[in-house]
Amino acid sequence: MTTRTPTSRAAVLLRLWALLLVVAVPLAALMLTPTLMRSRAGGASGLSWVGITVFVLLCLALVPLSVSLASRVAPLEPDWPAGGGRRVSADLRTRHPRAWWRRLGELVGLLVVSQLAGCAVAAVLPYAYRVPARDGGSEWAIDYPAYATQAVVMYLVICFAAAWFAHRVRSLALDTGGAAGGDGQ
């Protein structure tokens, strides 16, 4: 018999998003460091490639972490056991591949939206501008409040994307019998 709680799925999504906003603070710190994320910010040559690589790795790590957190934040035995989110997700990927990959596609779509949101903010609030240099050339200057606004908007959407993915995998587990191995979809 499945134990259900009165917590709505929307409440679970919001709770998970709030938790990811706290847990993913290293990603926020990285995104708020212009010399690591923007080549125009100056600093050491090629340093932005290090920041971008770490950014991608942290975003990738956020995905399985979000599934693990979802099973701890909102477990529903036996379909979505506490601490068993990654195991159930792997099982769902083999038992319901089309539905699981659709959810991963939603994640990728939301990550693209995060980049588009960042571009939209940068179009409204440009964060970099040229300033004359002493040698007659020009250098780039960063308007940090505009840069931080762009980074925060992107961070909010990236964390929401990870929460959405975990929430959708959790919903798939509940709708198909999850760890219990039910016959759904």
Side-chain angles (χ1 to χ4, degrees), residues 50-61:
V50 171
I52 291 169
T53 301
V54 173
F55 169 78
V56 169
L57 292 173
L58 287 174
C59 286
L60 291 174

Side-chain angles (χ1 to χ4, degrees), residues 78-79 91 95-96 173 176-184:
D79 301 328
D91 185 51
R95 287 191 303 116
H96 303 285
T176 62
D183 298 320

